[in-house]
Amino acid sequence: MADRGEEQDRTPPTATPSAAAPASPVPEPAPVPPARPLDAIDRDILRILQTDGRASIRSVAERVHVSRANAYARINRLVEDGVIRGFGARVDHERAGQGASAYITLKIVQNSWRTVREQLQALPGATHIALVSGDFDVLLLVHTPDNRALRELVLTRIQSIPEVLSTRTLLVFEETDLGPRPDRPAELA
């Protein structure tokens, strides 16, 4: 896939705020409360829910040997503390009509992460976005119906983001989900 490596040295135009319109401050993110330590029961609950997000409170309580009320309270606390960010299904993207997958690396303008992240989150098929260190700044995982849609996504949508200096596309030939399995011990601290 053709990437925009030749534009690596491009610098964005700088906007100068006019005297009549002062620059509005960027709102600070809400402070995150410190994480409470997880005990063995919390880790077991997380392992169960990662393996089967549809497990009932009763089933979870029985498997970790606590009352239903205790299991319910613990799950609610894990959600409120942000340890559990949500519940969802693990999808076989190919069977769901998303036959082309790729990791896309991006070099971006310094200090533009929040702006770029918002634009990448709006892309169809974007499933994972990470700010990383190394030879590039952002790693994006996308799933699209086919290579034509992938090409359109990269060459038209991503490369039109002004803060994106260059991209590199790595096609995924085969993937294996390494999500939690009942036969593996909990990997949570």
Side-chain angles (χ1 to χ4, degrees):
M1 171 148 319
D3 290 340
R4 201 168 63 185
E6 70 277 357
E7 295 185 29
Q8 288 181 354
D9 296 328
R10 178 177 68 146
T11 56
T14 55
T16 54
S18 68
S24 59
V26 176
E28 292 292 323
V32 177
R36 291 184 249 187
L38 303 179
D39 64 15
I41 294 173
D42 291 330
R43 288 190 295 275
D44 286 345
I45 289 171
L46 289 172
R47 183 182 45 75
I48 291 166
L49 293 176
Q50 285 178 304
T51 304
D52 179 8
R54 294 175 54 175
S56 68
I57 298 290
R58 179 180 176 183
S59 166
V60 171
E62 288 172 357
R63 291 168 64 185
V64 298
H65 309 290
V66 298
S67 70
R68 284 186 294 209
N70 188 334
Y72 183 80
R74 284 174 178 267
I75 292 170
N76 278 344
R77 189 196 73 215
L78 291 167
V79 170
E80 289 169 6
D81 285 354
V83 175
I84 295 176
R85 297 184 303 185
F87 298 88
R90 289 192 305 270
V91 176
D92 181 322
H93 294 283
E94 190 170 353
R95 292 185 61 87
Q98 302 290 304
S101 298
Y103 286 96
I104 303 167
T105 66
L106 296 85
K107 288 187 181 183
I108 62 173
V109 172
Q110 188 173 0
N111 297 322
S112 65
W113 164 241
R114 287 180 182 88
T115 303
V116 171
R117 179 181 56 198
E118 287 176 15
Q119 294 177 69
L120 295 176
Q121 286 172 330
L123 293 175
T127 59
H128 185 83
I129 304 167
L131 178 65
V132 297
S133 65
D135 294 336
F136 49 88
D137 304 307
V138 178
L139 182 62
L140 171 68
L141 174 60
V142 297
H143 301 283
T144 61
D146 53 34
N147 284 342
R148 177 173 285 167
L150 178 60
R151 179 181 181 277
E152 178 71 18
L153 183 73
V154 173
L155 298 180
T156 303
R157 302 283 301 271
I158 295 173
Q159 290 186 356
S160 70
I161 298 171
E163 297 84 3
V164 172
L165 301 175
S166 68
T167 65
R168 186 160 293 182
T169 302
L170 307 165
L171 292 176
V172 174
F173 296 129
E174 184 176 319
E175 7 179 18
T176 301
D177 184 6
L178 296 179
R181 297 186 325 232
D183 62 329
R184 246 195 303 193
E187 298 167 349
L188 301 167

